């Protein structure tokens, strides 16, 4: 289990964050926030420090009122004196209360704004980076971390205010306690600091443990717990009656999570033990020293009460701070993942775009491509060029590299070796796993031309072309019919969705390269034949690539290229390829032809 | 506050998780007692100190009291950790129980309900909030054993020294209750109201940043469009939430002022007692400290009570409505369901007959399957062909009992398939559905799920691998058939291509040699040679068993003993290949058109 779980964490995740890094990130964000929301940031900082004053006032209040009452009971102080002091302290507390209220009102607005900003930046970036990042797992890890940045980001301000509070507290408490003895104050602070450091270390271990042994189990248990939420999953679990299997998995990981969680909690025993012993010593010492001082008349009884209350609060505040510093470890990682994400892709160069008089549209030379985590190259050196207006069929087995080559041409994969020159090329495509967008019919088509609005007539024209108009027109809302399950939309069949995907292709009139990756897989055979004829009749002088397993269609292409194991192995017309001995194309074609014997 | 539905949930939790809940209750009550005790000890310390001032030296009892005081404080701190420990323990158990019931209930829900939007809305609400039950029980425990216990203790102390304080506690309690209840109600309403928008928000975000749409987003360059939509909806949701948060802050602020005034009044009352010299210094210190803590505790009490009484009870009620009816016996019997599968309930497969079957989807007014009758005999291979949306897939779902018939009847071996025995029918089928799930589990489990009663039998698994031709794929991985598919489960998992997934689905259908093999578009993304191999081996693999093939591929039709053509939910043609060619109908035109592609010289 140890080995396996460790793999869940990328090395970077396990590295410790130094206080230096912590403050650096803190400072960076504070500067950013100050630059962007100057007034709010300043107000938040000031208000939160002021609000901290309540602790000090409460302590002093306790001291004075206890002294007052004690004096009154011993008849050394008049009752009016107590009332006067009480009123003063109540007024002071009212002031602090108002400050707190102002802070409470300001902070949700401030946070909400900041989180929105961060979310915007992340989503903007994610939808902007090259597609190939989506092929890498590290990227996902980074995204997951960065996604938490929204909630961590505003903490920069809280971190600073916390720090200021602690400093203020140390000064105030030193002043209050120095009455006992300066050396004593030193002893207290040193022992408390020691306690804080120890508990920091232990909690840090706990955090590591959590990340390594608890959170992976949580992830799995959540996966199996929520597997039902998906309609298709539900259907397939029902079909196979495999609920027992999924439930057992869920229970197993739930138990694992629980066990590890309990172990995690056991770590706290150390912290509790150590801090308790420290607390015991410091507290006892203080109580006895101040008690003796009180009896001898050095201190008042109010001072004694105050000191005890102060020590309790000192412990809690320092404990909070330690926890905050520990979260800092996480905080820095989250935020550095966020900044890394924003930096991604910045320096990626655009593709070479030749300006050309020649009729070559795409010129590929020595093209190699390797996926981020793959062992071997998916494309192993391709030299080929395509003329304008050519109709090219791309044929090959599953996993031979067809899709990779097409993705490079489409600009989805940019980290290739070799050269790719495009001559005034603008591509559009119908992909095998085309999108089924939960929007209106009109919007679904408009997405094909970047989401810009098209006139209704144009939409109708396209729908007619792909033979979907009759169906859509029969719906009460026509082309504004909502599709999909998101909001009581109309459910389309896979074939109808496919027609819509082809409609998207037609929406972009400026495109001069079409890539069709199994564009008719979900149409029935007659419609398929019709659709192919239709697409080619509209293609005009465009360069068309199409990938199909139905070689009856490939046969009629001007040019057929066969890709096998990352290389172009055959290139020519149908007749040429059929005359090759042991050709892959020939073998595939013959095997399909048999059906029609 | 606790209605019948909530009571049922609580009862169930107590019945199944009593020990865990009891441990938690014990811990909570102890920690409350400690806090009260600390205050009392403190009173005595102050008094002994003040006696010491008079006597000129510290009495011995002072040292003992201080020691006790510190020990209590340490206990109090330590309880924080023990509390976390205890609550974890019971939470995970309670969660497990209620998720279990939910999972089995949703498993038993008919597939057709998933096409119903209202149901889906409720479903996702309940499934997202099931863990609220354990937090409800937690807040209830805290409410009763911590807050109420503490308050009762404090009020008793107040009653001894200053009966007026009891009334103060009451006033602040009522106020807190009103404010918090209002907020909780609003929060719940907002949650419910935002469900729809939230779904849109999640969807746009998914389109914008998810992998499935990442390619098209870039090819069609529609990022800006979606981005604008996302921002619009996000901002609207955000502002709504912010408005509620600000309202909450205003109310809480108001409440804090009221609390301040009441505290002031309480202090004045206390001073009045001092004026009359009704209590000694220690008692004064005790009461002074308690005023502060009692307010905080009432505050907390109300929070727990409200989240118990209003917010979470609503979630609990929704949960109850979803899972009902269910009996305790049923819950107990939810354990290895796969043990229930035995031998085939109606004997070896002989015949499946469908009589005038019709089906209409919940959101539609058109019959997806319209008055269809046909029969399937042992050893036959039947191929169903037809336009998209002609009802082929629906027909298959009716056959397997996944969808209920709107009209008509189905007989298996002459026994009518009805609600009572529908559950048993599936054992006859090995299904390769068109919409398959890419479960992130080990490969062998994925295939094994095809026949769960075989409990992942090695031999049967190997047989299925061989039939689906996935042995080369398996041998490619170093963990062989224990390789985990997908990354959700384990980051070491492998990503498969569409074709590879599909061959796994075929293997899963072959698993356990089902009486009827049912494949719906099994080769849509498999390359031609592989497809040929699968089609070629089919008859041999079946070993005389029955098969229903739904496909666009003529290859499958050629293989079949009988071909059924469907159009608009009806069967239009039925017969062998030769018969249908002679008929000259749709099938004939289909065959000839495709044949031309392969034989004619230049067509397009």
């Amino acid at each position: 289990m140890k080995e396996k779980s460790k793999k869940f964490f990328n090395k970077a995740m396990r590295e410790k964050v130094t206080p230096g890094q912590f403050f650096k990130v803190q400072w960076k964000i504070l500067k950013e926030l100050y630059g962007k929301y100057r007034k709010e940031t300043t107000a938040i900082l000031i208000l939160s420090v002021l609000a901290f004053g309540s602790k000090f006032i409460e302590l002093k209040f306790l001291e004075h009122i206890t002294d007052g009452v004690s004096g009154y009971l011993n008849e050394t102080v008049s009752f009016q004196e107590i009332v006067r002091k009480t009123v003063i302290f109540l007024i002071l507390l009212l002031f602090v209360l108002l400050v707190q209220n102002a802070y409470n009102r300001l902070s949700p607005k401030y946070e909400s704004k900041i989180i929105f900003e961060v979310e915007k930046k992340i989503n903007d970036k994610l939808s902007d980076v090259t597609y190939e990042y989506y092929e890498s797992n590290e990227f996902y890890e980074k995204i997951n971390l960065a996604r938490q940045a929204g909630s961590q980001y505003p903490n920069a301000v809280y971190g600073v205010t916390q720090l200021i509070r602690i400093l203020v507290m140390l000064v105030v408490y030193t002043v209050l306690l120095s009455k006992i003895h300066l050396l004593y104050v030193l002893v207290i602070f040193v022992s408390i600091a020691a306690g804080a450091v120890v508990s920091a270390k232990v909690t840090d271990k706990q955090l590591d443990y959590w990340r390594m042994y608890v959170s992976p189990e949580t992830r799995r248990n959540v996966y199996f717990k929520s597997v039902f939420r998906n309609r298709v999953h539900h259907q397939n679990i029902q079909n196979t009656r495999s609920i027992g299997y999924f439930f057992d998995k869920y229970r197993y990981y739930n138990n694992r999570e629980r066990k590890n969680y309990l172990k995690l909690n056991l770590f706290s025993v150390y912290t509790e033990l150590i801090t308790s012993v420290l607390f015991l010593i410091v507290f006892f010492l203080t109580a006895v020293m101040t008690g003796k001082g009180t009896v001898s008349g050095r201190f008042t009884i109010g001072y004694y009460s105050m000191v005890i209350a102060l020590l309790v609060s000192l412990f809690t505040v320092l404990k909070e701070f330690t926890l905050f510093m520990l979260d800092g470890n996480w905080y820095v990682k989250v935020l550095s993942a966020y900044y890394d994400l924003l930096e991604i892709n910045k320096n990626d160069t655009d593709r070479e775009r030749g300006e050309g008089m020649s009729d070559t549209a795409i010129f590929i030379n020595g093209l190699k491509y390797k996926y981020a985590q793959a062992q071997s190259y998916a494309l192993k050196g391709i030299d080929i060029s395509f003329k304008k207006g050519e109709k090219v069929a791309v044929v090959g087995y599953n996993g031979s590299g067809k899709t990779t080559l097409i993705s490079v041409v489409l600009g989805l994969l940019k980290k290739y070796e070799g050269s790719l020159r495009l001559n005034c090329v603008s591509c559009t495509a119908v992909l095998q796993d085309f999108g089924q967008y939960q929007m209106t019919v009109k919007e679904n088509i408009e997405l094909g031309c970047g989401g810009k609005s098209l006139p209704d007539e144009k939409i109708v024209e396209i729908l007619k072309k792909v033979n979907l108009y009759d169906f859509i027109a029969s719906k009460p809302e026509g082309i504004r019919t909502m599709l999909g399950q998101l909001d009581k939309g109309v459910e389309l069949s896979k074939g109808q969705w496919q027609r819509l995907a082809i409609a998207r292709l037609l929406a972009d009139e400026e495109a001069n390269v079409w890539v069709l990756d199994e564009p008719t897989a979900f149409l029935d055979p007659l419609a398929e034949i019709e659709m192919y004829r239709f697409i080619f009749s509209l293609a005009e002088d465009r360069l068309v690539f199409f990938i199909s397993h139905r070689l009856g269609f490939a046969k009629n292409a001007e040019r057929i290229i066969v890709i096998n194991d990352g290389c172009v192995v055959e290139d020519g017309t149908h007749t040429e390829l059929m005359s090759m001995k042991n050709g892959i194309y020939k073998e595939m074609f013959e095997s399909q032809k048999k059906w029609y014997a | 506050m606790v209605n019948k539905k909530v009571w049922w949930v609580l009862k169930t939790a107590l019945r199944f998780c009593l020990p865990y809940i009891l441990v938690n209750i014990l811990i909570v009550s102890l920690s409350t007692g400690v806090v009260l005790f600390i205050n009392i000890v403190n009173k005595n310390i102050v008094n002994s100190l003040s006696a010491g001032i008079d006597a000129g030296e510290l009495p011995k009892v002072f040292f003992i009291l201080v020691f006790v005081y510190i020990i209590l404080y340490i206990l109090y701190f330590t309880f924080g950790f023990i509390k976390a420990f205890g609550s974890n323990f019971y939470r995970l158990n309670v969660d497990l129980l209620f998720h279990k019931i939910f999972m089995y209930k949703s498993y038993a829900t008919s597939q057709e309900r998933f096409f119903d939007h209202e149901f889906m809305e409720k479903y996702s609400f309940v499934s997202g909030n099931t863990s609220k039950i354990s937090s409800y029980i937690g807040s209830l425990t805290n409410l009763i054993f911590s807050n109420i216990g503490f308050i009762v203790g404090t009020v008793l102390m107040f009653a001894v020294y200053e009966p007026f304080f009891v009334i103060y506690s009451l006033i602040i309690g009522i106020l807190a209750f009103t404010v918090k209840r209002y907020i909780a109600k609003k929060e719940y309403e907002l949650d419910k109201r935002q469900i729809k928008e939230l779904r849109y928000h999640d969807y746009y975000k998914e389109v914008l940043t998810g992998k499935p749409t990442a390619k098209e987003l870039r090819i069609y360059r529609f990022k800006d469009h979606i981005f604008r939509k996302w921002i619009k909806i996000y901002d609207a949701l955000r502002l709504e939430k912010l408005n509620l948060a600000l309202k909450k802050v205003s109310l809480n602020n108001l409440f804090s002022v009221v609390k301040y005034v009441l505290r002031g009044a309480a202090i004045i009352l206390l001073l009045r007692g001092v004026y009359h010299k009704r209590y000694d210094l220690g008692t004064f210190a005790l009461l002074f400290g308690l005023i502060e803590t009692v307010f905080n505790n009432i505050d907390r009490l109300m929070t727990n009570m409200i989240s118990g009484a209003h917010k979470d009870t609503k979630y609990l009620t929704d949960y109850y409505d979803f899972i009902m009816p269910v009996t305790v016996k049923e819950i107990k019997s939810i354990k290895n369901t796969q043990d229930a599968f035995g031998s085939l309930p109606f004997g070896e497969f002989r015949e499946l007959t469908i009589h005038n079957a019709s089906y209409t989807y919940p959101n539609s007014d058109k019959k997806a399957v319209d008055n269809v009758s046909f029969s399937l005999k042992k050893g036959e291979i039947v191929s169903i062909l037809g336009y998209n949306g002609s009802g082929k897939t629906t027909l298959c779902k009716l056959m397997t009992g996944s969808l209920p018939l709107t009209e008509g009847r189905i007989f298996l071996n002459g026994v009518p398939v009805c609600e009572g025995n529908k559950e048993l029918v599936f054992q006859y089928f090995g299904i390769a559905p068109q919409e398959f799930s890419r479960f992130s589990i080990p490969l062998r489990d994925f295939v094994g799920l095809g026949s769960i009663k075989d409990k992942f039998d090695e031999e049967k698994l190997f047989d299925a691998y061989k039939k689906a031709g996935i042995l080369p794929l398996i041998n490619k991985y170093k963990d062989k058939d224990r390789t985990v598919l997908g990354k959700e489960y384990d980051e070491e998992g492998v990503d498969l291509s569409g074709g590879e997934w599909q061959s796994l689905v075929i293997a899963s259908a072959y698993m356990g040699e089902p009486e009827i093999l049912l494949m719906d578009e099994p080769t849509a993304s498999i390359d031609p040679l592989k497809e040929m191999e699968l089609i070629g081996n089919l008859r041999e693999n079946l070993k005389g068993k029955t098969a229903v093939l739904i496909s666009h591929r003529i290859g499958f039709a050629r293989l079949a003993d009988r071909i059924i053509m469907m159009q608009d939910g009806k069967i239009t043609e039925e017969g062998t290949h030769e018969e249908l060619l002679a008929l000259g109908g749709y099938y004939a035109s289909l065959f000839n058109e495709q044949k031309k592609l392969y034989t004619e010289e230049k067509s397009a």
Side-chain angles (χ1 to χ4, degrees), chain A residues 65-348:
Chain A
I65 201 159
T66 315
D67 277 346
V69 171
S70 163
Y72 177 72
L73 291 176
N74 296 329
E75 288 166 357
T76 52
V77 178
S78 70
F79 191 69
Q80 281 78 7
E81 181 63 21
I82 306 178
V83 175
R84 200 176 57 85
K85 274 191 177 161
T86 308
V87 170
I88 291 174
F89 277 108
L90 282 178
I91 290 171
L92 279 175
L93 281 175
L94 182 65
F95 170 72
V96 175
L97 180 78
L98 293 178
V99 169
Q100 263 167 351
N101 284 359
Y103 173 81
N104 289 347
R105 260 202 92 72
L106 193 61
S107 78
K109 277 193 213 164
Y110 184 64
E111 263 178 56
S112 172
K113 237 195 265 179
I114 296 171
I115 294 174
F116 185 30
E117 202 61 40
V118 172
E119 277 276 303
K120 253 199 305 209
K121 272 192 185 155
I122 291 177
N123 287 341
D124 188 31
K125 195 70 206 182
L126 284 181
S127 51
D128 236 16
V129 297
T130 326
Y131 171 75
E132 60 204 336
Y133 285 101
Y134 280 85
E135 300 275 351
S136 119
N137 290 328
E138 268 168 53
F139 182 63
Y140 279 100
E141 217 165 84
K142 202 162 262 178
I143 295 177
N144 283 338
L145 265 184
R147 281 236 179 262
Q148 299 173 32
S151 53
Q152 293 291 335
Y153 204 81
N155 280 349
V157 180
Y158 302 131
V160 172
T161 53
Q162 190 103 358
L163 205 68
I164 298 176
R165 279 173 182 206
I166 299 262
L167 289 177
V168 172
M169 184 194 74
L170 288 181
V171 173
V172 170
Y173 287 6
T174 312
V175 171
L176 291 178
L177 290 176
S178 60
K179 250 190 184 178
I180 304 176
H181 199 283
L182 255 174
L183 202 65
Y184 160 79
V185 179
L186 197 70
V187 169
I188 284 203
F189 281 131
V190 167
S191 57
I192 286 177
V197 168
V198 171
S199 81
K201 283 263 183 267
V202 174
T203 330
D204 199 28
K205 279 242 156 55
Q206 252 177 317
L207 214 65
D208 277 350
Y209 186 86
W210 177 78
R211 268 181 238 150
M212 250 190 272
Y213 300 111
V214 182
S215 109
E217 307 297 345
T218 314
R219 201 173 87 159
R220 288 172 178 173
N221 123 32
V222 167
Y223 175 71
F224 287 108
K225 189 161 79 181
S226 57
V227 78
F228 267 115
R229 289 192 203 170
N230 179 312
R231 182 182 64 82
V232 177
H233 285 355
H234 175 267
Q235 190 173 309
N236 287 315
I237 291 173
Q238 246 184 11
N239 281 343
T240 51
R241 301 309 193 263
S242 50
I243 172 74
Y245 173 83
F246 284 96
F247 177 66
D248 283 349
K249 283 269 179 186
Y250 160 59
R251 182 163 53 189
Y252 178 71
Y253 290 117
N254 193 66
N255 280 340
R256 284 266 288 256
E257 187 195 357
R258 187 177 70 206
K259 266 186 215 143
N260 291 348
Y261 222 115
L262 293 183
K263 273 189 215 153
L264 178 75
N265 272 332
L266 280 176
F267 274 102
S268 314
V269 175
Y270 303 119
T271 341
E272 296 300 331
L273 213 67
I274 292 165
T275 38
S276 293
V277 169
L278 276 171
F279 187 71
L280 193 92
I281 297 169
V282 169
F283 219 126
F284 197 74
L285 201 76
T286 317
V288 171
M289 276 173 80
T290 24
K292 280 207 164 133
T294 313
V295 171
S296 67
R298 253 185 80 204
F299 314 125
T300 60
I301 198 154
Y303 182 74
Y304 169 83
S305 302
M306 189 217 46
V307 167
I308 298 295
L310 183 149
L311 277 182
V312 173
S313 95
L314 190 68
F315 263 91
T316 21
V317 173
L318 272 184
K319 229 175 172 177
E320 267 172 39
F321 182 67
T322 319
L323 285 178
F324 173 77
M325 282 296 286
L326 275 167
D327 281 347
N329 201 355
W330 185 242
Y331 165 90
V332 170
K333 273 168 192 167
V334 165
L335 287 164
S336 41
Y338 167 70
Y339 284 116
D340 282 357
L341 186 72
L342 295 190
E343 287 300 311
I344 259 183
N345 225 18
K346 248 187 181 169
N347 306 319
D348 285 4

Side-chain angles (χ1 to χ4, degrees), chain B residues 430-432 443 446-451 460-471 474 500-514 517 519 534:
Chain B
I431 308 172
L443 189 146
F446 190 91
V447 174
L449 287 184
S451 175
K460 285 182 177 166
L461 277 172
F462 185 75
D463 186 51
Y465 299 157
K466 215 170 63 191
K467 282 176 179 169
I470 53 171
L471 283 173
I474 291 172
E500 285 166 337
W501 275 109
Q502 214 157 25
S503 4
L504 289 183
V505 172
I506 292 172
S508 156
Y510 270 127
M511 176 68 192
E513 302 199 335
L517 184 71
M519 302 210 276
L534 282 169

Side-chain angles (χ1 to χ4, degrees), chain B residues 236-259:
Chain B
L237 286 171
R238 177 181 79 95
L239 288 178
E240 248 186 336
K241 276 218 172 91
L242 181 64
N243 275 337
L244 182 68
L246 288 179
K247 218 182 234 174
K248 197 168 147 183
V249 166
S250 305
L251 278 171
N252 276 334
N253 281 351
L254 190 73
F255 184 56
S256 71
V257 172
V258 173
K259 238 167 43 182

Side-chain angles (χ1 to χ4, degrees), chain A residues 75 90 105 124 129 223 233-234 236 238 245 253 398 429 437 443 486 522 525 550 555 592 595, chain B residues 106-107 109 199 216 218 220 223 229 250 260 275 277 388 437 440 445 489 527 558 594 598 600:
Chain A
E75 288 166 357
L90 282 178
R105 260 202 92 72
D124 188 31
V129 297
Y223 175 71
H233 285 355
H234 175 267
N236 287 315
Q238 246 184 11
Y245 173 83
Y253 290 117
N398 284 337
Y437 297 99
E443 273 186 289
L486 205 58
F522 293 94
R550 315 289 306 270
K555 187 185 140 211
Q592 287 187 7
W595 297 345
Chain B
S106 60
Y107 164 69
T109 308
R199 273 214 312 254
E216 288 194 352
R218 286 161 179 77
Y220 299 137
K223 177 208 147 178
K229 282 178 101 117
S250 305
Y260 167 83
Y275 181 72
K277 299 200 174 167
N388 268 298
S437 300
S440 191
D445 291 7
Y489 173 91
D527 61 64
R558 290 301 303 272
Q594 291 198 53
Y598 287 89
E600 248 179 31

